[in-house]
């Protein structure tokens, strides 16, 4: 089953890839790895939530934000490399959780992203991970996620290397 078919089976669709708001690229492909820049929890043209987890944002909403971040990341990755079937493995996920004082369940928030990757990619979606609590994130979002994927060489004759 292709990744596109798997997404459909899960009732998921990738959003349109968002252009960066500042001076960076959304994905860099180098040496068989694709480095996906930090993604925010955009749900269409709006952010799913703003505020601190354990404060204005509950854990379930933060987990939904983590899933949004992954879908947004996969969208920019697909724009950079083509079909997501080129992904051999998700190598590393780094999740940042804007945390209210005393909130310590960052791993549970980011686990929603990890679980989604396994739902989509199966064993290829299992990865190393960090879940980090922070004081503030851009645009006051509760969650930001970046990740690294190992990819196969492009099927269109290019080598898949370089900067995208």
């Amino acid at each position: 089953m292709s990744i596109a078919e798997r997404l459909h089976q899960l009732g998921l669709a990738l959003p349109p890839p968002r252009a960066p708001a500042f001076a960076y690229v959304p994905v860099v492909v180098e040496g068989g790895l694709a480095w996906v820049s930090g993604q925010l929890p955009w749900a269409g043209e709006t952010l799913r939530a703003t505020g601190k987890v354990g404060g204005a944002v509950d854990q379930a909403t933060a987990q939904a934000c983590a899933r949004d971040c992954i879908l947004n990341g996969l969208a920019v990755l697909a724009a950079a490399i083509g079909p997501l079937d080129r992904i051999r493995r998700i190598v590393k996920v780094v999740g940042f959780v804007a945390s209210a004082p005393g909130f310590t369940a960052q791993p549970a928030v980011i686990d929603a992203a990890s679980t989604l990757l396994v739902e989509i990619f199966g064993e290829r979606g299992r990865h190393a991970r960090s879940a980090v609590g922070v004081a503030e994130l851009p645009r006051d979002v509760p969650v930001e996620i970046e990740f690294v994927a190992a990819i196969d060489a492009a099927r269109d004759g290019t080598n898949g290397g370089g900067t995208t």
Side-chain angles (χ1 to χ4, degrees), residues 12-164:
L12 299 171
L14 295 182
R18 294 186 66 83
F22 298 98
Y24 67 94
V25 293
V27 178
V28 172
V29 177
E30 184 64 45
L33 295 174
W35 302 78
V36 179
S37 294
Q39 299 295 308
L40 302 184
W42 291 101
E45 291 301 312
T46 61
L47 293 165
R48 179 174 296 275
T50 57
K52 305 285 185 291
V53 184
V57 177
D58 63 29
Q59 187 170 316
T61 301
Q63 289 169 322
C65 287
R67 290 172 63 93
D68 289 338
C69 292
I70 290 298
L71 293 174
N72 287 311
L74 291 174
V76 296
L77 183 55
I81 69 166
L84 294 176
D85 298 297
R86 288 187 58 203
I87 295 175
R88 286 186 291 121
R89 178 167 196 158
I90 303 298
V91 176
K92 174 80 182 210
V93 170
V94 180
F96 303 94
V97 179
S99 303
F103 182 77
T104 60
Q106 293 85 1
V109 170
I110 302 306
D111 203 55
S114 295
T115 299
L116 179 59
L117 288 166
V118 173
E119 288 172 357
I120 294 169
F121 294 100
E123 286 301 309
R124 296 183 299 156
R126 295 203 183 278
H127 52 269
R129 184 181 84 192
S130 298
V132 182
V134 298
E136 300 289 339
L137 286 170
R139 299 179 190 245
D140 195 31
V141 297
V143 179
E144 179 176 358
I145 295 178
E146 63 183 48
F147 61 91
V148 179
I151 59 171
D152 286 330
R155 295 184 178 130
D156 62 3
T158 63
N159 68 6
T163 301
T164 304

